[in-house]
Amino acid sequence: MAALGSPVRTWRGLLRELRYLNAATGRHYRDTAAYRYLVKAFRAHRVTSEKLCRAQHELHFQAATYLCLLRSIREHVALHQEFHGKGERSVEESAGLVGLKLPQQPGGKGWEP
Amino acid sequence: MWRTCLRLRDGGRRLLNRPRGGLIASEGRGPSPPTPARAYAPPAERKRFYQNVSITQGEGGFEINLDHRKLKTPQAKLFTVPSEALAVAVATEWDSQQDTIKPYTMHLTTLCNTSLDNPTQRDKGQLIRAALKFLDTDTVCYRVEEPETLVELQRNEWDPVIAWAERRYGVEISSSTSILGPSIPARTREALVSHLASYNMWALQGIEFVVTQLKSMVLTLGLIDLYLTVERAVLLSRLEEEYQMQKWGSIEWAHDYELRELRARTAAGALFVHLCSESTTVKHKLLQG
């Protein structure tokens, strides 16, 4: 059995991700279908947790997987927009990425118009 | 004057119909461009053309509505999914697109589309064979002989997973340092084929997706059977890379980027398998209880 930590932690993490998702649309995250579904699932799991231990673990596993999905997508999009979303870089930018600088020629290189 | 306007408009349209590359190159030649034109620009993303996303229950399962239009697959079939949880997750993906639609962030939608359209026209047997092909070159079965610290790391991290898989399925899986890879007994293959055959088509599409991401059948089985978390499975899949990163340093736009993408894809695949396989019936009982 995989160690998942506390379900409360997973729940808080999910709420956090839902807030991020709804930051742009301006709606409250409690108005979303995802929030309603998660509340329902987490409540049901609390009620029957003693009877169906296997199902409890399974539900928590799915919640943790979903949390990992939402968080990874958010981080991936942020990195994508910063590094890959704008197409090919100029020579100066590429050099800057690895901590280098292009040499400066006082008075130009001589062949510019 | 009107005529020139019309002519201009027509000319503009012809300009718009030209291939993208040409347009971008001509921008660079224009008078005093503010920034130098990039040689390659990513394709423009489609605007978010809808306001509300909702779910309806139809005959074939759960459907997604964007405003009042029903979501369709790329092959123009009606988009229906068998489980409510999956429908909610897909609707959330569509609802969380901000100004433009970014298909590369919508892994669950992609997986549903693949299952509905089945673009490669494969049947169950072919899917199982495609997934099991990875067992011959399984990441956790290929070992290095040097450096000593990496050898030890691979032994400590990968051996318990292999041991778990052997116990769980009653099979024999060995590891090897040879370039030819480990020899997997035919009985192991038969046992795993019959195990995978118990999954439905949707779940199998997800399993194959996860296997191709992790490059490992053993890690995928661990993930599907709730033995490994997504984070752990991805870590084990990238063990050598993590080792090299600790030694030589991590680069945000390569290592972190790939790690996040691999985690997102693996989590989507694992969730898809769980929501599409029999476990949903367990969950229904749980919801009624």
Side-chain angles (χ1 to χ4, degrees), chain B:
Chain B
M1 195 197 145
W2 276 108
R3 210 171 279 160
T4 47
C5 259
L6 281 174
R7 215 177 289 148
L8 249 181
R9 265 176 59 195
D10 190 42
R13 209 169 295 146
R14 243 183 284 131
L15 201 77
L16 280 178
N17 285 338
R18 268 201 236 158
R20 287 195 58 84
L23 252 182
I24 289 164
S26 68
E27 262 168 39
R29 279 199 299 275
S32 68
T35 49
R38 291 174 185 274
Y40 165 77
E45 283 161 355
R46 212 169 153 195
K47 256 192 177 161
R48 178 174 166 148
F49 55 86
Y50 51 89
Q51 288 295 317
N52 296 309
V53 183
S54 58
I55 302 165
T56 46
Q57 194 166 6
E59 280 173 27
F62 296 88
E63 297 160 12
I64 312 285
N65 303 309
L66 307 175
D67 289 340
H68 295 294
R69 277 168 288 196
K70 284 192 186 302
L71 182 62
K72 299 272 178 73
T73 67
Q75 289 184 13
K77 283 183 196 159
L78 184 65
F79 188 99
T80 50
V81 293
S83 109
E84 188 190 356
L86 189 58
V88 171
V90 169
T92 307
E93 273 184 349
W94 282 89
D95 206 14
S96 63
Q97 302 300 311
Q98 294 178 2
D99 306 325
T100 54
I101 301 173
K102 300 178 186 64
Y104 55 87
T105 63
M106 304 164 80
H107 302 300
L108 288 172
T109 308
T110 312
L111 277 165
C112 293
N113 281 336
T114 310
S115 295
L116 286 166
D117 284 349
N118 195 6
T120 49
Q121 299 292 322
R122 285 181 298 178
D123 60 21
K124 217 170 155 176
Q126 285 169 311
L127 268 180
I128 293 173
R129 274 203 299 280
L132 267 185
K133 206 165 171 288
F134 277 77
L135 191 64
D136 297 326
T137 56
D138 204 295
T139 302
V140 297
C141 296
Y142 264 97
R143 302 297 169 87
V144 292
E145 284 171 317
E146 54 169 10
E148 191 52 45
T149 42
L150 183 56
V151 173
E152 200 183 325
L153 185 68
Q154 290 189 341
R155 198 170 50 229
N156 291 343
E157 300 295 329
W158 284 348
D159 278 358
V161 184
I162 294 184
W164 165 83
E166 287 182 331
R167 265 201 323 278
R168 167 75 176 76
Y169 298 100
V171 294
E172 193 186 320
I173 303 167
S174 52
S175 60
S176 159
T177 54
S178 145
I179 188 111
L180 295 173
S183 58
I184 304 290
R187 280 193 51 238
T188 303
R189 204 177 302 273
E190 284 162 23
L192 290 180
V193 165
S194 62
H195 171 70
L196 288 177
S198 65
Y199 286 95
N200 60 34
M201 271 300 273
W202 283 60
L204 278 174
Q205 295 273 10
I207 289 175
E208 202 222 347
F209 181 75
V210 177
V211 171
T212 54
Q213 300 305 319
L214 295 175
K215 312 280 187 282
S216 166
M217 191 72 222
V218 177
L219 292 178
T220 307
L221 290 172
L223 191 60
I224 303 304
D225 270 350
L226 318 185
Y227 172 69
L228 299 167
T229 60
V230 177
E231 286 90 344
R232 180 98 184 122
V234 168
L235 174 77
L236 292 178
S237 171
R238 292 162 38 95
L239 196 62
E240 183 175 353
E241 202 171 338
E242 297 284 341
Y243 170 81
Q244 303 291 359
M245 273 161 57
Q246 281 196 352
K247 198 168 175 189
W248 304 102
S250 150
I251 297 171
E252 200 179 23
W253 45 267
H255 296 130
D256 286 3
Y257 183 82
E258 275 167 19
L259 172 69
R260 300 298 187 268
E261 188 172 27
L262 189 60
R263 266 193 195 161
R265 285 165 168 267
T266 309
L271 193 66
F272 187 78
V273 175
H274 286 146
L275 295 181
C276 291
S277 57
E278 297 306 298
S279 67
T280 45
T281 55
V282 178
K283 212 160 144 201
H284 277 304
K285 268 184 215 156
L286 207 138
L287 288 174
Q288 286 155 10

